[in-house]
C-alpha cells in the first residue's frame, strides 16, 4: 500500500512538473499543456526577437523607476540591471538561445534573467504587463526606424542633387501622358524627386513626433495601483511624455499605421523613379546607362542588360501598401483594448520597413551609378513639336493675341510642319506669316529647345540657371544637419 502511494505521488509530481513547464507563462489556471498547433500559432519569438534591444532598454528604465519609488529593493534592482546587461551582451555576441516555448521576446529575456539571478528576476514585471511592454517596444522600434528611413532618404536626395548639378544643362523631353510635351533639363527632372523625397522625410518626422509618447505603465489596460512614475520612465527612454490614457496606450497602433503610410508614399515615389529608369535605359530612349552593378544579363540573349534593380524597386511598393492594408484590417473593429490579433502587427511593419530600406539603398546606388547621355536626350527633346507652347506664348506676349487664339494659330502651324515633315523652327517666316501676318522674325528667338529651356525662368522653372540655384537651395534645406 505504501509502495503504491509513493508510486502515485511520483507520477503526480512528474505530471505536475510537466504541466508547470508547459504552462510556465500561464500559471496554475490551466491543467493541460498547449497543443503543438497552439504553440506554433501563439509563438512570436521568430518575429519579435528584433525588439530585444528595445525590450531590455525598457526594462532597465522600468526597474530603475521601481527602485526610486521604493516598489522594488535597490539591491534587487541592481541584480536585475546587471542581469539585463549581461543578456544584452549575450544577444549581441550571438550566444543567446531564443526558445519558441517561451512565446515572445519578453518572456525569453525574463526567463534567462531568472536563470542568471534567481528570484529577484520575478520582481521586474511589477506594475507592468506584456500589453504595455510590447506597445513600448513597438513604439521605440518605430522611432528608430523613422530615423533610419530619414537617413536613407537623405542619402538618395544627396546623389540626386549631385546628378542634377552635373546635368543642369542637359536638355531632355518633358512628358505628359508619356508623350513629348515641352523641353526640360535632366537636372530639373531629378530635382523633382528631391522635393518628393523631402516631403517623405517630413512624413516620417511627423510620424515619429506623434508616436513619441510612452505607453509604459499602462499595464494590462487600467493602469496600476503601485505608485509608479510614468513621466520618469518616459524621460529616461527619450519620450516627450507618457500616453494620457491607459486604454489607448495598449489598444492603439495608429503610430504603426502612420509609419506604414509614410513607407507606402515613399515607395510610390521610388517606384515612379524606378519606372523612369526602366524607360530611360531602354535602347529606344537611351537617355541613361546603368552599369553591371545594378543590371543583369539574360540566360539566352547575350546582348541584354536588364534593369532588374529598378524593376524590383518598382515592385516593392506592394510590400508597403500590403502591410498597411494588413494592419488596418487587423485593427478594424477590434474592441478595446488588447486582442491577440494585434500580435500580427509586427510582421507587417517589419516587412514594409525591410522592403523600403532595401529599395532606398538600391535607388541610391543606381542614381549614383547612372551615366547620362545628353546627346540622345537632346535629340529626343526637339521631337513632337515640343516648343509649340513657346510659340503660343510668343503670340500672346509679342503679337497681342488672346491665348485661345494663339493656341489655334500654333495648332495650324504644327499641322503645316507635319505636312512638311519638319519641326517648327524649320518653317520659313513666309510660311508662318501665311498662317498669321502678325508673326515676325523675332519668333525664332523662342523656338528651339535651348531657347525654350532658357526662357523658363519663373520660380521652380527648368532654366539651367534655375536648376543650379534650386540644387544649391536643396543642399542647404535637405543635406545640412537634421531637419
Amino acid at each position: 500500500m505504501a509502495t503504491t502511494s509513493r508510486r502515485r505521488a511520483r507520477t503526480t509530481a512528474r505530471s505536475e512538473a510537466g504541466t508547470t513547464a508547459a504552462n510556465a507563462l500561464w500559471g496554475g489556471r490551466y491543467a493541460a499543456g498547449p497543443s503543438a498547433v497552439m504553440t506554433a500559432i501563439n509563438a512570436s519569438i521568430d518575429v519579435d526577437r528584433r525588439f530585444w534591444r528595445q525590450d531590455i532598454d525598457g526594462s532597465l528604465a522600468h526597474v530603475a523607476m521601481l527602485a526610486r519609488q521604493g516598489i522594488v529593493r535597490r539591491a534587487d534592482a541592481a541584480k536585475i540591471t546587471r542581469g539585463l546587461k549581461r543578456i544584452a551582451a549575450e544577444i549581441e555576441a550571438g550566444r543567446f538561445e531564443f526558445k519558441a516555448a517561451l512565446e515572445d521576446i519578453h518572456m525569453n529575456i525574463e526567463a534567462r534573467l531568472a536563470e542568471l539571478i534567481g528570484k529577484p528576476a520575478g520582481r521586474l514585471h511589477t506594475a507592468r504587463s506584456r500589453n504595455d511592454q510590447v506597445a513600448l517596444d513597438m513604439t521605440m522600434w518605430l522611432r528608430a526606424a523613422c530615423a533610419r528611413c530619414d537617413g536613407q532618404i537623405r542619402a538618395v536626395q544627396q546623389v540626386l542633387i549631385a546628378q542634377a548639378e552635373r546635368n543642369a544643362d542637359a536638355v531632355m523631353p518633358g512628358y505628359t501622358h508619356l508623350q513629348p510635351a515641352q523641353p526640360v533639363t535632366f537636372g530639373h527632372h531629378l530635382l523633382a524627386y528631391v522635393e518628393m523625397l523631402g516631403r517623405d522625410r517630413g512624413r516620417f518626422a511627423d510620424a515619429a513626433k506623434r508616436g513619441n509618447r510612452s505607453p509604459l505603465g499602462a499595464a494590462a489596460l487600467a493602469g496600476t495601483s503601485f505608485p509608479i512614475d510614468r513621466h520618469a520612465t518616459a524621460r529616461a527612454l527619450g519620450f516627450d511624455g507618457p500616453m494620457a490614457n491607459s486604454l489607448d496606450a495598449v489598444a492603439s497602433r495608429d503610430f504603426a499605421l502612420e509609419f506604414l503610410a509614410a513607407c507606402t508614399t515613399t515607395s510610390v515615389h521610388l517606384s515612379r523613379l524606378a519606372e523612369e529608369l526602366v524607360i530611360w535605359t531602354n535602347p529606344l530612349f537611351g537617355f541613361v546607362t546603368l552599369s553591371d552593378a545594378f543590371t543583369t544579363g539574360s540566360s539566352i540573349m547575350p546582348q541584354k542588360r536588364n534593369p532588374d534593380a529598378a524593376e524590383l524597386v518598382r515592385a516593392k511598393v506592394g510590400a508597403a501598401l500590403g502591410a498597411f492594408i494588413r494592419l488596418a484590417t487587423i485593427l478594424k473593429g477590434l474592441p478595446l483594448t488588447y486582442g491577440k490579433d494585434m500580435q500580427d502587427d509586427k510582421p507587417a511593419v517589419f516587412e514594409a520597413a525591410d522592403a523600403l530600406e532595401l529599395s532606398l539603398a538600391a535607388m541610391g546606388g543606381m542614381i549614383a551609378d547612372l551615366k547620362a547621355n545628353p546627346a540622345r536626350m537632346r535629340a529626343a527633346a526637339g521631337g513632337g513639336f515640343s516648343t509649340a507652347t513657346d510659340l503660343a506664348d510668343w503670340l500672346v506676349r509679342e503679337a497681342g493675341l488672346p491665348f485661345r487664339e494663339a493656341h489655334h494659330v500654333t495648332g495650324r502651324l504644327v499641322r503645316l510642319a507635319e505636312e512638311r515633315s519638319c519641326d517648327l523652327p524649320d518653317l520659313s517666316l513666309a510660311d508662318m506669316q501665311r498662317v498669321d501676318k502678325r508673326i515676325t522674325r523675332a519668333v525664332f528667338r523662342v523656338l528651339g529647345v535651348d531657347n525654350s529651356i532658357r526662357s523658363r525662368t519663373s520660380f521652380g522653372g527648368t532654366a539651367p540657371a534655375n536648376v543650379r540655384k534650386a540644387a544649391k537651395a536643396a543642399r542647404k534645406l535637405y543635406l545640412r544637419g537634421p531637419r
Side-chain angles (χ1 to χ4, degrees):
M1 189 74 171
T3 301
T4 301
S5 298
R6 284 194 296 273
R7 188 180 299 115
R8 185 182 296 114
R10 285 196 300 272
T11 301
T12 301
R14 284 196 298 271
S15 176
E16 289 177 349
T19 300
T20 300
N23 296 287
L25 310 185
W26 300 340
R29 167 66 179 83
Y30 293 90
S35 70
V37 172
M38 182 60 193
T39 299
I41 197 171
N42 196 49
S44 61
I45 186 58
D46 287 343
V47 176
D48 64 22
R49 62 197 296 172
R50 290 201 194 196
F51 284 157
W52 72 266
R53 172 62 69 188
Q54 289 78 23
D55 201 73
I56 288 176
D57 287 348
S59 291
L60 288 169
H62 183 66
V63 74
M65 180 275 295
L66 293 177
R68 283 195 304 271
Q69 297 298 108
I71 299 170
V72 168
R73 291 183 301 175
R74 291 189 177 275
D76 286 342
K79 291 178 182 177
I80 292 170
T81 298
R82 287 194 296 271
L84 289 171
K85 290 181 178 179
R86 178 173 170 181
I87 292 169
E90 290 176 353
I91 296 175
E92 285 181 329
R95 298 194 308 270
F96 188 90
E97 182 184 0
F98 294 97
K99 300 175 182 177
L102 294 172
E103 291 190 15
D104 56 31
I105 187 62
H106 323 298
M107 297 312 301
N108 268 265
I109 289 174
E110 189 171 324
R112 177 58 178 151
L113 185 63
E115 291 175 358
L116 291 174
I117 68 172
K119 191 174 181 179
R123 302 188 185 282
L124 173 59
H125 210 52
T126 305
R128 76 174 182 184
S129 162
R130 278 194 293 175
N131 291 355
D132 62 335
Q133 193 176 358
V134 70
L136 174 71
D137 291 358
M138 176 68 93
T139 304
M140 293 174 66
W141 190 92
L142 283 169
R143 184 174 62 186
C146 286
R148 287 196 306 274
C149 289
D150 179 80
Q152 285 192 279
I153 295 171
R154 180 187 183 278
V156 177
Q157 288 180 298
Q158 187 168 18
V159 293
L160 283 166
I161 292 170
Q163 285 282 16
E165 289 171 331
R166 285 194 289 272
N167 293 281
D169 295 293
V171 181
M172 69 174 291
Y175 296 99
T176 63
H177 308 277
L178 202 56
Q179 303 297 315
Q182 293 177 322
V184 296
T185 62
F186 188 45
H188 189 60
H189 195 113
L190 295 178
L191 288 178
Y193 285 102
V194 172
E195 295 302 315
M196 294 181 204
L197 293 173
R199 293 191 295 274
D200 291 331
R201 290 177 68 184
R203 291 181 185 95
F204 282 108
D206 288 345
K209 181 174 179 58
R210 244 185 308 280
N212 201 35
R213 291 278 169 178
S214 172
L216 184 59
L221 75 161
T224 178
S225 59
F226 289 97
I228 62 172
D229 186 347
R230 293 189 63 207
H231 289 83
T233 52
R235 284 193 300 272
L237 294 169
F239 288 103
D240 295 330
M243 295 183 73
N245 183 285
S246 63
L247 300 175
D248 178 46
V250 299
S252 295
R253 293 293 186 272
D254 53 301
F255 55 92
L257 279 174
E258 190 166 3
F259 172 79
L260 293 177
C263 287
T264 300
T265 307
T266 305
S267 297
V268 167
H269 289 153
L270 294 178
S271 184
R272 295 184 74 175
L273 179 52
E275 168 68 2
E276 297 207 290
L277 290 176
V278 171
I279 293 171
W280 294 340
T281 56
N282 185 299
L284 293 174
F285 283 77
F287 291 175
V288 303
T289 302
L290 295 175
S291 74
D292 293 346
F294 293 97
T295 58
T296 64
S298 166
S299 62
I300 191 172
M301 295 169 284
Q303 84 282 8
K304 294 293 291 298
R305 184 191 290 272
N306 299 323
D308 283 8
E311 291 170 356
L312 290 166
V313 169
R314 187 174 61 185
K316 293 296 183 187
V317 66
L321 179 57
F324 181 90
I325 294 171
R326 178 178 177 178
L327 182 54
T329 304
I330 288 170
L331 296 174
K332 177 191 172 297
L334 278 186
L336 298 183
T337 53
Y338 183 82
K340 196 69 170 183
D341 319 48
M342 294 167 71
Q343 180 171 289
D344 268 7
D345 60 354
K346 290 171 282 295
V349 168
F350 293 156
E351 181 182 2
D354 289 348
L356 178 59
E357 291 184 45
L358 182 58
S359 294
L360 287 165
M363 184 57 73
M366 284 187 287
I367 296 301
D369 176 76
L370 72 80
K371 297 293 187 293
N373 187 342
R376 288 293 296 271
M377 291 182 185
R378 174 177 289 275
F385 307 103
S386 62
T387 58
T389 305
D390 297 275
L391 174 55
D393 289 345
W394 183 89
L395 289 168
V396 171
R397 187 173 55 251
E398 302 297 331
L401 277 67
F403 182 79
R404 287 302 170 198
E405 185 180 349
H407 187 283
H408 178 73
V409 169
T410 302
R412 291 176 61 191
L413 289 169
V414 167
R415 187 170 64 219
L416 177 62
E418 285 178 329
E419 292 169 355
R420 301 280 180 84
S421 298
C422 66
D423 199 0
L424 287 172
D426 301 319
L427 292 174
S428 68
L429 179 60
D431 288 334
M432 292 188 182
Q433 288 180 335
R434 276 194 288 272
V435 173
D436 194 295
K437 294 182 179 180
R438 290 168 287 189
I439 298 175
T440 68
R441 188 167 297 280
V443 73
F444 291 100
R445 291 200 295 267
V446 301
L447 296 179
V449 293
D450 290 309
N451 290 330
S452 176
I453 63 164
R454 279 197 297 267
S455 72
R456 305 293 174 177
T457 56
S458 60
F459 181 80
T462 192
N466 282 29
V467 173
R468 293 186 179 89
K469 289 178 183 177
K472 183 177 180 180
R475 281 191 176 279
K476 182 176 181 181
L477 178 61
Y478 297 121
L479 305 184
R480 293 184 184 175
R483 294 193 64 197

